[in-house]
Amino acid sequence: MADELEFDLTLYPAPVLRRPALPVEAFDDELAQIVAAMFRRMVASQGVGLAAPQVGLKKRILVLNDSGQPADDLVLVNPTLVERSGPPVTFEEGCLSFPGIYAEVERPENCTVRAFDVQGQPIEATYGGFVSRIIQHEYDHLEGVLLVDRMSRADKLRHKTALEELVDRYKRSQPTGAQR
Ligand code: CO
């Protein structure tokens, strides 16, 4: 299709990444196209999960795939994290909005999610392992919470230069006069 939606990644520190995303109101063809384009962006960027603010949309949509198998595609629209449970687990996370930056983040092992699929069918499930990890990371994006907020002071220091480079790159991408 010639007119397929195509998204670029939104990188830290773009303001849209800090704004709480808003609920999706219509389970229509536009939503289906957004979700499909988010999956294409995620796969092309070799990610395992993507939240709508990461493609510049203030919408409560997550897509993820923990295995690379199409059957494991998971779409969560308007998700609520009903419960987090299990022991805290530390795991090295990356984020498509922070290219090249990885940091250990502690999160509870499991999460229970209530959401809708792309057609508006309700989903309620408890996830563990890598899927739970991805969901919790992506859910943070909908609340404006980023990897940099979750990393230890030591990691922040270790990534100081890389983070500053992202800020510089963002500033350079803005029209003159819009710099803050
Ligand atoms: Co992320």
Side-chain angles (χ1 to χ4, degrees):
M1 250 202 298
D3 294 333
E4 273 192 341
L5 258 186
E6 210 179 308
F7 291 133
D8 287 329
L9 286 175
T10 301
L11 304 185
Y12 173 83
V16 67
L17 294 173
R18 285 300 190 189
R19 296 192 185 117
L22 304 173
V24 168
E25 286 175 0
F27 292 84
D28 54 9
D29 187 53
E30 187 196 353
L31 176 66
Q33 288 184 32
I34 289 171
V35 165
M38 285 176 67
F39 272 117
R40 286 194 297 273
R41 178 73 273 159
M42 181 188 88
V43 170
S45 304
Q46 297 182 300
V48 290
L50 189 66
Q54 293 183 278
V55 293
L57 301 177
K58 230 166 62 178
K59 293 178 186 284
R60 301 185 74 84
I61 308 169
L62 309 180
V63 302
L64 56 135
N65 186 311
D66 68 318
S67 72
Q69 301 301 314
D72 290 326
D73 278 357
L74 181 59
V75 182
L76 299 172
V77 180
N78 297 345
T80 312
L81 277 190
V82 183
E83 195 187 356
R84 306 184 199 227
S85 60
V89 179
T90 301
F91 187 84
E92 189 176 66
E93 296 187 8
C95 178
L96 292 178
S97 296
F98 292 82
I101 296 178
Y102 297 87
E104 297 209 319
V105 178
E106 186 184 287
R107 300 184 191 272
E109 163 101 58
N110 310 308
C111 66
T112 301
V113 183
R114 221 175 271 153
F116 297 91
D117 72 10
V118 70
Q119 272 114 31
Q121 297 302 308
I123 300 170
E124 178 161 349
T126 299
Y127 300 92
F130 194 30
V131 176
S132 166
R133 168 69 50 170
I134 301 167
I135 290 172
Q136 292 183 65
H137 174 109
E138 301 308 334
Y139 186 83
D140 272 353
H141 277 293
L142 302 183
E143 302 296 312
V145 174
L146 300 174
L147 183 61
V148 69
D149 308 322
R150 296 282 190 198
M151 59 175 77
S152 66
R153 279 179 52 189
D155 273 337
K156 235 186 253 185
L157 214 55
R158 189 158 66 87
H159 293 304
K160 192 166 180 282
T161 307
L163 289 167
E164 284 171 357
E165 277 170 9
L166 282 173
V167 172
D168 285 346
R169 195 205 290 194
Y170 176 75
K171 283 184 182 159
R172 282 196 307 271
S173 76
Q174 295 303 296
T176 319
Q179 296 188 9
R180 282 184 300 259

